Amino acid sequence: MHYGECSGTLCAMQYLPLFVRSDSRQALFVGAGNIALRKAQAVAHAGMALRVVSPDFIAGFDALPCCERVQRPFQESDL
């Protein structure tokens, strides 16, 4: 079964609701495109610190509060 498909009465979730206490937490984003920016804005608005690892950044990431930009490809040690 692929993401978003159904088999009988079992369907893969298209969205995963996630509730996390956001104070004193850091979120890691890998990639800095349009989708990542939209999600990073929401996470920053919730008060989380951000660390974004990407070889390239679109405009908008520099305006995010509490955003550490790491301009290079992702490495396993980033986790």
Side-chain angles (χ1 to χ4, degrees):
M1 182 174 0
H2 288 56
Y3 179 78
E5 292 183 356
C6 295
S7 172
T9 58
L10 179 64
C11 294
M13 292 178 62
Q14 292 184 359
Y15 297 97
L16 177 64
L18 181 64
F19 297 92
V20 210
R21 188 175 177 131
S22 60
D23 57 341
S24 70
R25 303 275 183 176
Q26 184 179 46
L28 171 66
F29 280 76
V30 178
N34 290 321
I35 295 170
L37 178 60
R38 188 177 68 241
K39 292 179 180 184
Q41 288 168 330
V43 169
H45 182 71
M48 293 179 80
L50 302 173
R51 183 169 200 232
V52 184
V53 179
S54 180
D56 301 301
F57 287 80
I58 65 167
F61 277 92
D62 52 346
L64 290 176
C66 304
C67 182
E68 175 190 0
R69 292 173 34 158
V70 180
Q71 194 159 3
R72 63 164 167 72
F74 169 77
Q75 298 171 0
E76 191 173 332
S77 61
D78 291 322
L79 295 176

